[in-house]
Amino acid sequence: MGIMSDSFLTRIPSLSDAQLRDLLQHPRKYQRRALEAAAAEWRSRGFQVPEGALDEPPAPPRTGFLRDARGPRMDRIRLVTGSILAAGALSALVLHRFAVTTAAPFALEDENSKAYLRQLEMMGGKANLLASQVRQGFASLWQGTTLAYTVFWISVAVAGIFWVVATQTGHGTRD
């Protein structure tokens, strides 16, 4: 309740009749204390407080697919998260089942041979050697049975990120 609400409460007597009427007609926008103070001021000016002006407003309808005014819809979030995981696992199984590991039959020189690695280091130093190994490691993620594991772990990461984002309560946002 801090300084802003107290200053608002002290300003209520200075509001015009139209401003007070608007405040009482839209109770959802204001705190309970402000509504009670506005009703008291409205009565002191000789007016009658409208029926239901101080009643609790009805809960807003559930409108969003994943969240609404009451918070996240956990049943739907679980369904979407499970679907992401199931699709990723199924895709990984299919990829693993049909994966073909082939070696390049006409490769001039093995990229892991001592001679090749020595040439890489001589031409570009340790940075070139490291960059080549990182490139080879990344490229190997997208071939053969390793692709199935890559797809599975990507789907786990996507499902986890979706879960975290979808279940956030929205602290720090303006309502």
Side-chain angles (χ1 to χ4, degrees):
M1 303 290 164
I3 296 169
M4 277 184 68
S5 63
D6 291 337
S7 67
F8 181 72
L9 292 175
T10 58
R11 286 189 333 188
I12 286 182
S14 66
L15 295 177
S16 69
D17 290 347
Q19 290 170 323
L20 274 176
R21 187 179 323 108
D22 182 59
L23 192 143
L24 291 170
Q25 287 176 347
H26 300 95
R28 216 179 259 176
K29 292 181 179 180
Y30 304 99
Q31 295 178 3
R32 180 84 178 164
R33 286 178 39 194
L35 289 171
E36 289 170 355
E41 178 64 28
W42 190 250
R43 283 187 201 105
S44 73
R45 294 182 186 183
F47 297 109
Q48 229 178 0
V49 177
E51 286 273 331
L54 298 177
D55 293 343
E56 288 292 321
R62 295 180 70 112
T63 56
F65 180 72
L66 295 177
R67 67 177 44 253
D68 60 14
R70 288 183 258 169
R73 290 183 166 186
M74 294 307 293
D75 54 339
R76 291 184 181 181
I77 292 171
R78 285 185 196 103
L79 177 70
V80 172
T81 303
S83 299
I84 292 170
L85 287 172
L90 183 63
S91 299
L93 283 172
V94 168
L95 287 169
H96 192 273
R97 171 69 176 98
F98 295 108
V100 177
T101 54
T102 58
F106 300 110
L108 297 177
E109 192 168 349
D110 184 22
E111 291 182 341
N112 289 324
S113 69
K114 287 183 179 183
Y116 180 77
L117 294 175
R118 172 95 173 116
Q119 274 185 330
L120 271 179
E121 189 176 352
M122 291 296 289
M123 292 174 72
K126 295 276 187 195
N128 190 29
L129 184 61
L130 180 64
S132 175
Q133 290 173 341
V134 167
R135 183 191 53 80
Q136 288 173 8
F138 186 74
S140 72
L141 292 176
W142 310 103
Q143 300 171 9
T145 56
T146 312
L147 176 60
Y149 296 109
T150 303
V151 167
F152 175 75
W153 287 111
I154 287 174
S155 70
V156 168
V158 167
I161 291 169
F162 172 78
W163 179 269
V164 168
V165 170
T167 58
Q168 284 183 348
T169 58
H171 292 298
T173 60
R174 289 183 66 197
D175 290 331

